[in-house]
Amino acid sequence: MTQPKLTKRQYLVLGSMLFGLFFGAGNLIFPIHLGQIAGGNWLPATLGFLLSAVCLPLMAILAISMTESDSMFHLARPVGKAFALFFLVATHASLGLLIATPRTATVAFEMGVQPFIGKDHLQLALLLFSAVYFALTYFFSRQPSKMTDYVGKFLNPVLLLLLGAAFVAAFIIKGDGPQLLAATHATAAGSQLTNGFLQGYNTMDALAGLGFGVTIVAALGFFGVTSPRRRSQDVAKVGALAMGLEAIIYALLIALGVLSLRFTATTANGGPAFTAIMTHYTGLIGTGLLAAMTVLACLTSAIGLVTSLSQDLGHRFPHIGFKRFLPLTCFGAFLISNIGLNQIIAWSTPVLMLLYPLAIALIILGLLHPFIGKNGLIYKTTVGLTVIPAVLDALNALPQPAASWIWIQAITGWATRFIPWYQYAMDFVPFMLLGLIGGVALAKATGTLQRPELVSEIRE
């Protein structure tokens, strides 16, 4: 059957939709925070951030498409059914319920609403705001087929206009670009590169990419693109368009963070700094501008997260289904969002340190599909060895009071002495490479490494 060719307009709409799904709460505040803590060392920090916050999500989408996976469960299935189910539930629970989606509401509230509310009424205001916020999220998410219209054609273009206005005020009207260049000096590029890479974890976009990959493939299906080869090509084009735009915006946000050091103090998460930036460059108008921009960015991201979770888990547990998972997810995220942003961020770090190395391993294995197929031996050795540093890094990232427990300190002390790159939280890299190389060698030695087209796809 002849596959329809997407028009330029359709590519732009799909690219806009994908950008809108990715660009949410953390995508606004964490680049600002990175710019502040990097200071004059912003260039290597930006490179590291773009590697984990832009390249990895794009690779995740391609991995889902290239392996023709229906969900991240099928991408992880060659490791084993138990691991695949754990990874699916843990990742989606983090994205759609426990961390990312509640965080979109709390960031939208703190940056877009809190400046207009008195301190005595903050908790009640958060409760009311989050109730309306997740009611809208549920409304827009009920029909996934309409997501292209809601996000790609309306919400996202407005967001881009608001972001563009902020950048014009800072770099053109105020003309502060040269001051950014003047702040550059010799740096320990390696440490700043690593720091930027790890800060990119906070966007959670590599994990989201494994879920949004399914969403963008479904959107292509609505346009009549069903051929695996054609789908992979279109996913690559749409992904490059969306993530290329995101890379430009990240770089500009990091630059704003660097410039903000001239008129405000370094903040804990970038939210208050963004408010100070908008006030400095646009005055009272900037406060309203920031409120609208933040709410739109967070809402579009929340729509994608709850839809992706409900689609994947609804497919995995059909007796519950999408229509039941969606309201449950929205209600659960509403409850957790009222805990507050600081607590959500504090407990998100160890979860991300556990899941990100596993996701990176699966993404790389998915991209190697043309060479290794879904060889279970290679998947098991690669992911199996990656689990070890992932668990160690998660323990090391625990917040207080858990971090002060004696047995936690004993484990982290031992790992610091004996595990390569542990102090940089990059110890998963040698473990992952050792597992991949060893798995390929074992597969060749046992004669199980075949051409991918001869390897049967694993499906349940």
Side-chain angles (χ1 to χ4, degrees), residues 419-441:
I419 302 295
W421 297 1
Y422 176 77
Q423 64 268 39
Y424 307 114
M426 298 296 289
D427 45 330
F428 72 92
V429 175
F431 278 79
M432 181 180 65
L433 293 177
L434 180 61
L436 177 60
I437 295 170
V440 172

Side-chain angles (χ1 to χ4, degrees), residues 10 15 25 60 86 93-94 158 168 222-223 291 319 377 416 444 453 458:
Q10 288 172 328
F86 158 77
S94 301
V158 174
V168 167
F222 292 127
F223 286 116
H319 58 286
L377 182 59
T416 301
K444 286 186 175 181
E453 60 267 25
I458 300 173

Side-chain angles (χ1 to χ4, degrees), residues 343-365:
Q343 287 298 314
I344 292 174
I345 292 177
W347 284 100
S348 68
T349 302
V351 175
L352 296 179
M353 298 305 289
L354 172 66
L355 292 179
Y356 248 82
L358 303 180
I360 292 172
L362 289 172
I363 290 169
I364 291 175
L365 290 168

Side-chain angles (χ1 to χ4, degrees), residues 100 186 201 318 392 443 449 460:
Y201 284 13
L392 292 174
L449 185 60
E460 285 295 317

Side-chain angles (χ1 to χ4, degrees), residues 29-209:
I29 65 174
F30 291 118
I32 293 286
H33 179 62
L34 176 61
Q36 285 199 315
I37 62 177
N41 304 332
W42 59 270
L43 190 57
T46 300
L47 178 59
F49 190 85
L50 295 182
L51 286 175
S52 60
V54 174
C55 293
L56 278 181
L58 179 57
M59 291 164 63
I61 298 172
L62 290 174
I64 288 289
S65 179
M66 290 176 66
T67 56
E68 300 179 41
S69 299
D70 295 335
S71 69
M72 65 181 75
F73 176 88
H74 289 131
L75 180 65
R77 180 62 179 85
V79 183
K81 184 176 180 180
F83 173 82
L85 186 59
F86 158 77
F87 187 75
L88 173 72
V89 173
T91 300
H92 269 315
S94 301
L95 289 170
L97 181 61
L98 300 176
I99 300 174
T101 303
R103 191 177 69 187
T104 65
T106 54
V107 170
F109 176 78
E110 288 203 4
M111 294 176 60
V113 178
Q114 185 171 311
F116 305 98
I117 303 295
K119 291 184 179 181
D120 295 338
H121 305 290
L122 285 180
Q123 193 61 46
L124 177 60
L126 175 60
L127 179 67
L128 297 175
F129 172 83
S130 59
V132 174
Y133 179 91
F134 283 108
L136 290 173
T137 300
Y138 173 72
F139 172 77
F140 284 121
S141 304
R142 287 181 304 168
Q143 294 180 300
S145 61
K146 297 293 185 180
M147 189 177 296
T148 300
D149 293 328
Y150 292 145
V151 178
K153 292 182 180 179
F154 173 66
L155 293 178
N156 194 56
V158 174
L159 168 63
L160 290 177
L161 287 175
L162 293 174
L163 276 174
F167 296 141
V168 167
F171 297 108
I172 296 179
I173 297 178
K174 295 289 185 178
D176 283 349
Q179 296 184 37
L180 176 70
L181 297 176
T184 304
H185 54 75
T187 108
S191 62
Q192 287 298 328
L193 180 69
T194 301
N195 182 48
F197 186 86
L198 295 176
Q199 286 290 323
Y201 284 13
N202 288 316
T203 67
M204 301 183 74
D205 279 353
L207 300 178

